[in-house]
Amino acid sequence: MQVYAALRDAIVRAELAPGQKLSENELAGQLGVSRTPVREAIARLREDRLVEVVPQLGTFVARISTQAVADAQFIREALECAAIRRAAERCGEDDVNALEENLRAQERARDASDFDAFYVLDDAFHQTLCNLSGHPTVWSISQRAKGHLNRVRRLSLPIGDYLTSMVDEHRAVTAAVARHDADEAELALRYHLRMVLREVPRIRSQHPDFFDEA
Amino acid sequence: MQVYAALRDAIVRAELAPGQKLSENELAGQLGVSRTPVREAIARLREDRLVEVVPQLGTFVARISTQAVADAQFIREALECAAIRRAAERCGEDDVNALEENLRAQERARDASDFDAFYVLDDAFHQTLCNLSGHPTVWSISQRAKGHLNRVRRLSLPIGDYLTSMVDEHRAVTAAVARHDADEAELALRYHLRMVLREVPRIRSQHPDFFDEA
DNA sequence: GCCGCGATACTTGTATGCAAGTATCCGAGC
DNA sequence: GCTCGGATACTTGCATACAAGTATCGCGGC
């Protein structure tokens, strides 16, 4: 399990380059465990489509597939937008306070240009919204799909006011939820979620060898 | 992999009763393989929340959790309703023909009261719709979530005109898709998907020991 | 008769050994 | 120099052996 998290993180952060060959034995040695837990982790990563395993040949870090990225975006959008409608209907005062406290932390991370801290808060923000729907399972699925999106996001150095616009969008989402305005909350979230995707073509032109199709 | 399908099917069909203890050794013996592939299958089933594994103690067929059923319904609804909107926008003449051919097969199964055949066609119908969205991954996730729904469906002997109403609803969905009417298609599908859930309270009162909470 | 304690038989988790298959590299033949 | 063939070293997939831990059953003491 810990092995899975470590490998997944390494892949998403592009420390393991797309296309790179992974040896179960080598990974086992590096991580100080046996092949068995490594195999278990690789099985899960294969379900996430983050690695491809060719029998009797090898396992490889999956190249970034624009199709997989689009699928992930579609799935995340469908799930989180459905969830936020419920969240807007169900949320109470305490829930809104928790969201706004997170927002203030985001602003601090923004002012400090602390991207790592921001990503953690960003995850927590979206998870809170998913959980407010009453269906916490939604977050686990959305998070797994998000791996593909984070992978392209990690490749792109965020530009100047990136964090500023992220926080602003989060704030718009929160405001709509607080107003119990499901329609507006969904719209604001959908707009926000599509931010990431806009960067894909640029990133692809910068790292063509990381991508799959021609 | 085949082990996973066999075990999953046995659980969904309630051949393995909820709460029943599963022995990796015993399953390995029954299936004629070693513990390794059995463990692999159990790991996937755990992700599906169809089994619960307590370390150093045992793995058990998960009892039917009304929360898990509600989560599955929510996820399936969110994904398939989002998918059908795209399907309605994108589908062509050939796609509609394929759907209608499936519908005619459904009618034959209905007239023969062949439930097994109908379930196969039902799956194919929904998969086709998901694929028409251009995001085939959606089906794989929806299908995995659907395990929880099928489990309660299997427990309930379908009543008289069950297949009739199912076919009618499928036909309404198809008609809206053929008209490229995304709104109506979504509405029709959402209504259809909520059919199953209506049965849960009745089933739960009939098989209280299969369920989780009080 | 009842309670407490210890041995036992089971469980999952991990490590390792074996089997089957593929790509590669090196040498022989042309 | 080029091509073809065989041995080798690697891979994953499966089976098995070991380690650590928990519930249960039975026996001894009260």
Side-chain angles (χ1 to χ4, degrees):
Chain A
M1 178 65 95
Q2 196 105 5
V3 178
Y4 167 75
L7 284 180
R8 183 186 169 92
D9 205 55
I11 292 175
V12 170
R13 298 174 100 101
E15 296 164 9
L16 296 174
Q20 179 175 344
K21 183 173 183 177
L22 297 179
S23 164
E24 292 182 357
N25 271 316
E26 194 176 342
L27 290 173
Q30 290 177 3
L31 297 171
V33 294
S34 168
R35 271 186 59 206
T36 308
V38 172
R39 276 186 63 75
E40 202 174 332
I42 286 180
R44 288 188 68 182
L45 291 169
R46 181 177 54 176
E47 291 185 13
D48 294 343
R49 298 186 193 274
L50 287 175
V51 303
E52 291 175 5
V53 35
V54 183
Q56 325 298 5
L57 205 164
T59 81
F60 306 85
V61 177
R63 293 193 141 82
I64 300 177
S65 154
T66 53
Q67 176 68 40
V69 173
D71 286 359
Q73 170 69 17
F74 183 84
I75 288 161
R76 181 154 121 100
E77 196 175 309
L79 289 177
E80 294 204 20
C81 286
I84 205 173
R85 297 194 67 90
R86 297 282 179 93
E89 298 161 2
R90 294 163 37 104
C91 78
E93 196 172 340
D94 292 348
D95 304 320
V96 176
N97 288 338
L99 287 173
E100 286 183 347
E101 184 172 353
N102 181 299
L103 279 175
R104 285 191 291 275
Q106 287 181 34
E107 287 169 347
R108 287 193 293 274
R110 173 200 62 191
D111 296 338
S113 293
D114 187 341
F115 289 95
D116 287 332
F118 182 82
Y119 286 141
V120 172
L121 291 166
D122 181 55
D123 268 5
F125 180 79
H126 286 277
Q127 181 174 11
T128 301
L129 285 175
C130 286
N131 289 350
L132 280 178
S133 75
H135 299 288
T137 312
V138 168
W139 169 249
S140 67
I141 297 179
S142 179
Q143 196 192 25
R144 288 184 77 169
K146 219 178 70 157
H148 291 274
L149 304 176
N150 284 351
R151 213 145 76 112
V152 305
R153 190 164 68 172
R154 284 280 175 182
L155 255 56
S156 71
L157 288 183
I159 329 178
D161 52 356
Y162 174 73
L163 291 188
T164 301
S165 53
M166 291 283 278
V167 174
D168 290 346
E169 289 162 21
H170 283 170
R171 205 166 267 295
V173 169
T174 305
V177 169
R179 270 184 276 121
H180 304 291
D181 185 341
D183 290 331
E184 186 59 30
E186 180 183 343
L187 273 175
L189 181 61
R190 202 177 291 274
Y191 173 82
H192 169 62
L193 292 179
R194 289 189 180 170
M195 280 289 291
V196 181
L197 219 53
R198 292 200 290 250
E199 300 284 328
V200 174
R202 185 173 62 84
I203 297 166
R204 183 166 161 180
S205 68
Q206 287 177 354
H207 303 272
D209 49 325
F210 284 0
F211 282 79
D212 210 357
E213 304 95 8
Chain B
M1 178 66 95
Q2 196 105 6
V3 178
Y4 168 75
L7 284 179
R8 184 186 169 91
D9 205 56
I11 292 174
V12 170
R13 298 175 101 99
E15 295 164 9
L16 296 174
Q20 178 176 343
K21 184 172 182 179
L22 296 180
S23 165
E24 293 182 357
N25 273 316
E26 194 176 342
L27 290 174
Q30 290 176 2
L31 297 171
V33 293
S34 168
R35 270 186 62 206
T36 308
V38 172
R39 275 187 63 76
E40 201 173 333
I42 286 180
R44 290 187 66 182
L45 291 169
R46 182 177 52 177
E47 291 184 12
D48 294 343
R49 298 186 194 275
L50 287 175
V51 304
E52 290 174 6
V53 35
V54 183
Q56 326 297 5
L57 206 164
T59 82
F60 305 86
V61 177
R63 292 183 196 278
I64 300 177
S65 154
T66 54
Q67 176 68 39
V69 172
D71 286 359
Q73 170 69 16
F74 183 84
I75 288 161
R76 182 155 119 100
E77 198 175 307
L79 289 177
E80 293 203 20
C81 285
I84 206 173
R85 296 193 67 89
R86 297 282 180 94
E89 297 162 3
R90 294 163 37 102
C91 78
E93 197 172 340
D94 292 347
D95 304 320
V96 176
N97 288 338
L99 287 172
E100 287 182 348
E101 184 172 353
N102 181 299
L103 280 175
R104 286 191 290 275
Q106 287 182 34
E107 287 168 347
R108 288 193 292 273
R110 172 199 64 193
D111 297 339
S113 292
D114 186 341
F115 288 94
D116 286 333
F118 182 83
Y119 286 140
V120 173
L121 291 166
D122 181 54
D123 268 5
F125 180 79
H126 286 276
Q127 181 174 13
T128 302
L129 285 175
C130 286
N131 289 349
L132 280 178
S133 75
H135 299 288
T137 312
V138 168
W139 170 246
S140 67
I141 298 180
S142 179
Q143 195 192 26
R144 288 183 76 170
K146 219 178 71 160
H148 291 273
L149 305 175
N150 285 351
R151 213 144 77 110
V152 306
R153 189 163 69 172
R154 284 283 175 182
L155 256 57
S156 70
L157 290 183
I159 330 178
D161 54 355
Y162 174 74
L163 291 189
T164 301
S165 53
M166 290 284 278
V167 174
D168 289 346
E169 288 162 21
H170 282 168
R171 205 167 266 295
V173 169
T174 304
V177 169
R179 270 185 276 121
H180 304 291
D181 186 341
D183 291 332
E184 185 61 30
E186 181 183 343
L187 273 175
L189 180 62
R190 201 177 291 274
Y191 172 82
H192 169 61
L193 293 179
R194 289 189 181 170
M195 280 290 290
V196 181
L197 219 52
R198 290 203 290 251
E199 300 283 327
V200 174
R202 184 172 63 81
I203 297 166
R204 182 168 161 180
S205 67
Q206 287 177 355
H207 304 271
D209 51 325
F210 282 1
F211 282 78
D212 209 358
E213 304 95 6

